[in-house]
Amino acid sequence: MTRNDGRLNFNLLDEDPLPQDECGVFGVWAPGEEVSKLAYYGLYALQHRGQESAGIAASDGKSIRVYKDLGLVSQVFDESTLNSLTGHIAVGHCRYSTTGASQWSNAQPTLGDTPHGTVALGHNGNLTNSADLRDRIIERHGRADFGELNQGNTTDTALVTALLKEQPGDSLEAQAMALLPTLEGAFCLVFMNENTLYAARDPHGVRPLVLGRLASGWVVASEQSALATVGASVIREIEPGELIAIDSDGVRSHRFAAANPSRCVFEYVYLARPDANINGRSVYESRVEMGRQLAREDTHDADIVIPVPESGTPAAVGYAEASGLPFAQGFIKNAYVGRTFIEPSQTLRQLGIRLKLNVQDHVVRGKRVVVVDDSIVRGNTQRAIVRMLKEAGAAEIHVKISSPPVKWPCFYGIDFASRAELIANGATMDEITQAVGADSLAYISEDGMIAATQQPRSTLCTACFSGVYPIKLPPESRRGKMLLEQPADSSQNPGGGCDPGPDAEFEIDEIPLAEAKK
């Protein structure tokens, strides 16, 4: 049986996975409402941000119940499970792993005990000082196996939950204010104890986090789509460096660090849903404007403009508008594409992309075609798309990309390919064009992309394009997806147990560039 994989923009080729965000977080404080069902539908709207596991914790004011498992939101929960999660506060999470393996023990929300009740916590982002945080626990206790860490949890989220217990303060609120300034990297945290809902965003505001209002309470979520799904109105974004608390006294705001915005520009390019707004700018309008700017920078004589569905559609609309070329749907997507539990035969595996996408021959035959997509990672997908268009009779194929070349890995919550796998790393434009088999290839400029977001350059993180990391990175030996999977004893694994490179943990088998040119 085939099930939708929850992504807005699915992987056209299994060996060429798209960049993936770490997680979606959701929290609700709403007495008298079925908060677990609100959390369920909120997570459903955030499913594109994480598809490996899902979980919901709910409190009735006396105790917290949590249910989590591997799988999509729709696979993990059913009516009876949700009915058992009663109360007036809930925290939900859908996960894609960038720290720690994809395993049940790493599903969130994580649980921990504190002097001020039980805490259930969900995290979107990626901490860069996880090794230091683990060392802090070891220094205090001689070991790093408290709470869920003792149950095999190997995430930076479990470190945060464990460290909350250690902080000074006469309330969980005060403890959070003591801990949050010591966390480095990207984090949007949604957590609760038995009576209060909390949300915090790192001082750089790398990942989005918004506050919404229900008739009977409040909601926090990674994106506005989750608010709209549960009928909440948007109030504002949680500010970078802000902690909010929500209980029967209303909403309280605390500043734990000065804001120093470095919002992820790739949220505008690809990660967020098109109906999101980030810092007052529509993601959809940003993507359309990227297409317009791409056409201004590089317009080819052609007959039609077609998108790679769905990620390339807004930019293709903008490109067609600015170039004056007609927009057409050259590809039809299988509406039921997704994860399958049936292993395809070798013959079907060789068909690859054709299981998920088909060309409309009558649309492209004999035409000079501009194909618009949001990014190129390894290049395998674009190579397959160009091949399909040629076989369908396209006269010329001009590939246009609405982001600059991706050359650097992300350490703030996006799972890119390793730098060695990124086709734009070390290859010239002509070499990439030849590798994907197109007649021409053009990327938008970094300036053009940034202008389309209507955000000041100084407030955006462009590290995956520029290699300039706004948040200090630890040495290679102190970072990596499987850092916390390894022993902390440096005699067993020097450098705190990290993988042998900055992003070697992301490596998979890949077609070498030289072979791709053949």
Side-chain angles (χ1 to χ4, degrees):
M1 178 171 61
T2 299
R3 300 180 181 178
N4 191 290
D5 63 6
R7 296 198 62 79
L8 296 177
N9 307 308
F10 54 87
N11 295 329
L12 294 173
L13 287 174
D14 292 338
E15 68 269 22
D16 193 9
L18 296 164
Q20 301 193 67
D21 189 46
E22 183 182 12
C23 302
V25 291
F26 185 89
V28 55
W29 185 92
E33 297 286 347
E34 295 181 281
V35 291
S36 64
K37 291 185 178 179
L38 290 174
Y40 171 84
Y41 283 111
L43 292 179
Y44 212 93
L46 298 172
Q47 184 75 88
H48 60 288
R49 300 189 74 90
Q51 304 83 45
E52 293 182 352
S53 64
I56 295 173
S59 170
D60 60 4
K62 298 178 181 179
S63 62
I64 292 176
R65 297 180 179 89
V66 62
Y67 187 87
K68 53 188 177 181
D69 205 349
L70 297 176
L72 303 175
V73 175
S74 61
Q75 297 167 332
V76 170
F77 298 101
D78 57 25
E79 190 81 22
S80 62
T81 303
L82 293 173
N83 286 338
S84 70
L85 298 172
T86 57
H88 67 289
I89 314 175
V91 168
H93 189 272
C94 53
R95 181 174 189 253
Y96 180 83
S97 56
T98 59
T99 296
S102 178
Q103 57 194 29
W104 184 89
S105 59
N106 287 343
Q108 298 181 34
T110 58
L111 288 176
D113 64 309
T114 77
H116 310 290
T118 303
V119 63
L121 186 147
H123 171 210
N124 175 32
N126 202 46
L127 299 182
T128 56
N129 66 332
S130 294
D132 293 340
L133 298 176
R134 182 176 64 177
D135 289 349
R136 190 186 310 173
I137 293 175
I138 294 173
E139 287 170 5
R140 291 178 182 177
H141 302 283
R143 54 196 177 94
D145 57 356
F146 287 85
E148 290 203 8
L149 295 169
N150 191 38
Q151 300 167 17
N153 192 315
T154 55
T155 67
D156 48 0
T157 311
L159 292 174
V160 174
T161 308
L163 284 167
L164 267 175
K165 180 180 181 179
E166 305 292 313
Q167 305 308 305
D170 58 2
S171 66
L172 182 59
E173 209 163 319
Q175 289 184 298
M177 287 296 291
L179 176 62
L180 290 170
T182 71
L183 305 181
E184 298 175 10
F187 59 89
C188 286
L189 305 177
V190 176
F191 57 105
M192 68 180 190
N193 60 10
E194 284 79 0
N195 294 295
T196 307
L197 175 67
Y198 300 92
R201 192 178 182 193
D202 71 80
H204 297 272
V206 178
R207 302 279 155 234
L209 189 63
V210 293
L211 171 67
R213 187 75 163 101
L214 288 166
S216 57
W218 300 88
V219 177
V220 289
S222 293
E223 296 182 27
Q224 287 96 323
S225 59
L227 303 187
T229 298
V230 301
S233 57
V234 177
I235 300 300
R236 63 176 177 86
E237 289 193 14
I238 308 300
E239 293 295 321
E242 181 184 20
L243 167 71
I244 67 168
I246 302 172
D247 59 17
S248 56
D249 294 326
V251 178
R252 298 183 298 279
S253 173
H254 305 280
R255 173 70 62 178
F256 65 86
N260 182 19
S262 298
R263 298 178 179 88
C264 173
V265 74
F266 212 72
E267 294 277 358
Y268 291 97
V269 171
Y270 168 77
L271 289 175
R273 270 179 46 157
D275 55 349
N277 280 268
I278 301 176
N279 200 38
R281 175 60 168 165
S282 161
V283 168
Y284 177 81
E285 286 298 328
S286 296
R287 292 173 186 173
V288 172
E289 182 58 28
M290 288 173 195
R292 295 189 190 108
Q293 182 61 28
L294 184 55
R296 296 183 194 113
E297 295 178 2
D298 190 284
T299 300
H300 255 92
D301 288 334
D303 299 307
I304 57 172
V305 177
I306 67 172
V308 176
E310 301 289 337
S311 58
T313 299
V317 169
Y319 190 99
E321 178 185 313
S323 66
L325 298 173
F327 176 90
Q329 293 288 358
F331 293 102
I332 298 297
K333 181 181 72 172
N334 180 351
Y336 296 95
V337 71
R339 295 178 180 172
T340 177
F341 299 99
I342 305 301
E343 183 70 20
S345 67
Q346 181 61 29
T347 300
L348 289 175
R349 194 178 296 111
Q350 289 173 348
L351 293 176
I353 197 172
R354 300 169 197 271
L355 296 174
K356 302 178 180 181
L357 210 62
N358 296 110
V359 181
Q360 296 206 81
D361 295 23
H362 65 282
V363 173
V364 304
R365 186 178 297 114
K367 302 287 182 60
R368 297 169 298 171
V369 180
V370 169
V371 187
V372 181
D373 204 355
D374 68 283
S375 60
I376 298 180
V377 181
R378 297 168 181 83
N380 294 342
T381 297
Q382 287 72 25
R383 187 181 306 119
I385 283 172
V386 169
R387 184 183 303 121
M388 290 172 66
L389 289 171
K390 286 183 175 178
E391 292 173 356
E396 296 176 9
I397 303 164
H398 304 283
V399 176
K400 311 295 181 184
I401 305 299
S402 60
S403 64
V406 177
K407 295 183 177 181
W408 301 86
C410 176
F411 299 98
Y412 308 138
I414 306 176
D415 188 355
F416 274 114
S418 69
R419 193 166 183 225
E421 292 177 285
L422 297 171
I423 194 172
N425 179 39
T428 66
M429 187 70 73
D430 287 343
E431 289 173 329
I432 301 173
T433 305
Q434 183 180 353
V436 302
D439 292 284
S440 73
L441 169 67
Y443 293 88
I444 194 174
S445 65
E446 188 174 317
D447 288 341
M449 172 189 65
I450 290 173
T453 69
Q454 297 185 351
Q455 307 297 307
R457 175 185 286 269
S458 62
T459 66
L460 293 175
C461 174
T462 61
C464 55
F465 304 117
S466 65
V468 178
Y469 292 91
I471 305 172
K472 183 181 178 181
L473 298 177
E476 291 184 8
S477 61
R478 303 276 287 177
R479 65 187 189 228
K481 182 174 183 177
M482 301 303 174
L483 171 68
L484 302 178
E485 305 268 340
Q486 307 297 331
D489 184 352
S490 60
S491 66
Q492 298 181 54
N493 190 9
C498 189
D499 291 315
D503 48 11
E505 65 278 6
F506 302 138
E507 292 181 5
I508 63 172
D509 294 334
E510 168 65 319
I511 302 172
L513 181 61
E515 182 179 337
K517 295 178 182 178
K518 295 179 181 178

